[in-house]
Amino acid sequence: MKVSEADILIIPGYTNSGPDHWQSRWEQKLSTARRVEQAEWTKPVREDWVQRVVEEVAAATKPVVLVGHSLGVAAAVHAAPHFDNKVAGAFFVAPPDVANPEIRPKHLMTFGPYPRDPLPFPSVVVASRNDPFGTYEHADDIAAAWGSLLLDAGEAGHINAQSGHGPWPEGTMVFAQFLSKLKA
């Protein structure tokens, strides 16, 4: 699949992805990418976030490729049962452990626990070994439950602009390879 053959939905996490974040950069570079906007970025409500993802997938005119980061992964996975076979694949980065009682802010736990059913589309989970919002072991566990390919990003923090992943060329290459294997 080529970028032009897909509707690429950028699904940011808690507080949205700022201008230096790799998601914002991809949104600008990829001609068919658009951001799933949320009414409330700083006090996320699971049902609202999930509904917005469902609405954006339903509005797509081409096969959908989800690009979720952090809490955006949780919103997308909770929305997955409502997708009517429009999703061709998902690229998930830095899924937080939303069932961990130590997570801050506490209201992020309202997105947990993750569903453990296999996803009905190909997916990749990119996880870091030192993500402050979720362990690599947790990412390995949920990726296995979802039937996702787990990719080890090494010690990459939360894989965001603050951890030095603004441009994130390695992620761009992995995404391009993933996209090329999807069927339109």
Side-chain angles (χ1 to χ4, degrees):
M1 179 179 290
K2 298 175 185 165
V3 168
S4 62
E5 299 171 325
D7 275 337
I8 299 171
L9 295 185
I10 306 289
I11 310 170
Y14 175 65
T15 73
N16 201 349
S17 293
D20 294 330
H21 194 286
W22 60 267
Q23 279 189 314
S24 298
R25 293 168 187 251
W26 289 14
E27 182 183 7
Q28 291 171 352
K29 280 185 191 175
L30 301 172
S31 60
T32 62
R34 71 180 188 279
R35 181 177 304 241
V36 175
E37 293 290 346
Q38 298 292 349
E40 184 53 72
W41 287 108
T42 59
K43 291 187 178 141
V45 175
R46 176 170 137 181
E47 294 75 20
D48 296 345
W49 277 42
V50 168
Q51 185 58 38
R52 285 293 302 128
V53 174
V54 170
E55 290 167 2
E56 290 293 337
V57 169
T61 58
K62 300 175 184 174
V64 173
V65 178
L66 307 171
V67 178
H69 178 259
S70 192
L71 202 60
V73 174
V77 172
H78 283 294
H82 309 285
F83 285 160
D84 295 339
N85 300 321
K86 276 188 154 179
V87 175
F91 190 81
F92 292 148
V93 180
D97 185 351
V98 291
N100 181 346
E102 302 301 314
I103 197 170
R104 296 292 181 267
K106 276 267 196 221
H107 60 262
L108 301 185
M109 282 186 64
T110 62
F111 281 73
Y114 285 108
R116 297 188 59 84
D117 298 325
L119 295 173
F121 42 77
S123 56
V124 168
V125 172
V126 180
S128 167
R129 296 250 172 206
N130 63 341
D131 188 333
F133 298 102
T135 65
Y136 186 81
E137 292 73 24
H138 172 261
D140 184 22
D141 177 58
I142 58 172
W146 298 337
S148 303
L149 173 65
L150 177 67
L151 298 178
D152 186 343
E155 294 198 356
H158 195 49
I159 314 177
N160 57 10
Q162 290 76 20
S163 66
H165 296 86
W168 197 34
E170 304 88 352
T172 302
M173 290 187 303
V174 172
F175 180 69
Q177 185 177 30
F178 174 67
L179 191 62
S180 74
K181 293 181 178 179
L182 298 178
K183 292 177 177 54

